[in-house]
Amino acid sequence: MKKRTIRFYKPKYVSMLFYKKDNLLIYEWQGDTLELDYLKCQNQLKQLLQQFKINVNHYLSLVNLSKSRYYKTMKNTDDNPITNFKIRLIYLHIKMDYEKVRSQYILTYYILKTNLVSVDQYMQLSTLTKQTIYQLKNRNKRQYRYATYLKLESANEQIQQNILATLKKTDIKRYNDLAPLTIIDFFQNYNLST
């Protein structure tokens, strides 16, 4: 077993014992053990990046991993324990962001399908092209893009605020019920009560 200091989440450091067993990298620290199948983890990250169009540089900087080392590891399925631990952290970060982005895409599909706003209104609110919005409405987009997500999130929040402003004037009970909800819960409950 080798004892190493793995640097991640600047400026924190973690000291770990690690060793390799077949395709597994075993990490032990503070009484915890992590068994990481590094080939599976690398493949999970590759698959996720095919579905989610982002700039990976941000995530590399979070774990203090160079671009060249990252590409070398992903291309050659390198079994370096430090690099693969960082790749696992990158995967977890991107997966969390992917779920957040995916939920806004699904919410947009829901908003457009239930005709809460027209395609033209949504186009104005989001500054997206009509073609993109029709693709979202028909669920033809297979790849999630972070830049599109930001526009969807902004448009969906505006729609929510407009609905709340109207309810505050017309139905204060429904307003009080819906106002504290998250945006996803808001639209699910709003549609149930219409």
Side-chain angles (χ1 to χ4, degrees), residues 174-185:
R174 277 185 71 206
Y175 170 82
N176 289 333
D177 290 343
L178 294 170
L181 300 177
T182 65
I183 193 162
I184 305 284
D185 292 337

Side-chain angles (χ1 to χ4, degrees), residues 28-188:
E28 295 175 357
W29 76 101
Q30 298 174 350
D32 290 323
T33 303
L34 169 69
E35 292 185 0
L36 177 62
D37 183 332
Y38 66 92
L39 293 174
K40 183 180 175 186
C41 184
Q42 289 168 10
N43 287 331
Q44 284 176 324
L45 182 55
K46 286 174 189 172
Q47 289 168 0
L48 186 55
L49 289 171
Q50 286 174 351
Q51 295 174 310
F52 189 22
K53 184 77 173 166
I54 50 149
N55 185 343
V56 82
N57 293 343
H58 166 69
Y59 299 95
L60 293 175
S61 72
L62 289 176
V63 296
N64 196 35
L65 183 61
S66 73
K67 216 176 194 178
S68 60
R69 186 76 188 151
Y70 163 75
Y71 285 119
K72 181 182 174 197
T73 303
M74 296 299 281
K75 189 175 182 182
N76 302 324
T77 56
D78 186 352
D79 67 348
N80 180 296
I82 296 172
T83 305
N84 278 285
F85 188 79
K86 291 178 178 184
I87 284 173
R88 177 66 180 166
L89 292 174
I90 290 170
Y91 169 74
L92 293 173
H93 271 291
I94 293 176
K95 190 172 188 312
M96 198 166 53
D97 285 350
Y98 170 79
E99 292 302 330
K100 186 171 69 173
V101 168
R102 187 173 169 269
S103 68
Q104 283 297 332
Y105 270 77
I106 292 168
L107 179 58
T108 302
Y109 169 78
Y110 179 78
I111 288 170
L112 292 168
K113 274 295 185 190
T114 54
N115 295 317
L116 285 173
V117 293
S118 69
V119 170
D120 288 337
Q121 288 171 316
Y122 203 90
M123 194 173 76
Q124 287 177 340
L125 289 170
S126 65
T127 67
L128 292 167
T129 65
K130 201 172 222 177
Q131 179 188 0
T132 300
I133 293 166
Y134 274 116
Q135 286 175 337
L136 290 167
K137 186 174 182 179
N138 298 318
R139 281 213 170 155
N140 291 337
K141 270 215 180 292
R142 295 190 180 168
Q143 193 178 55
Y144 297 110
R145 296 177 183 272
Y146 198 80
T148 304
Y149 152 76
L150 293 173
K151 293 179 179 182
L152 297 178
E153 183 181 50
S154 174
N156 294 341
E157 284 174 1
Q158 286 179 61
I159 293 166
Q160 179 190 26
Q161 292 310 313
N162 291 345
I163 291 170
L164 283 172
T166 304
L167 286 176
K168 198 168 189 177
K169 294 174 188 171
T170 60
D171 190 341
I172 197 68
K173 186 189 178 314
R174 277 185 71 206
Y175 170 82
N176 289 333
D177 290 343
L178 294 170
L181 300 177
T182 65
I183 193 162
I184 305 284
D185 292 337
F186 170 85
F187 280 106
Q188 285 176 339

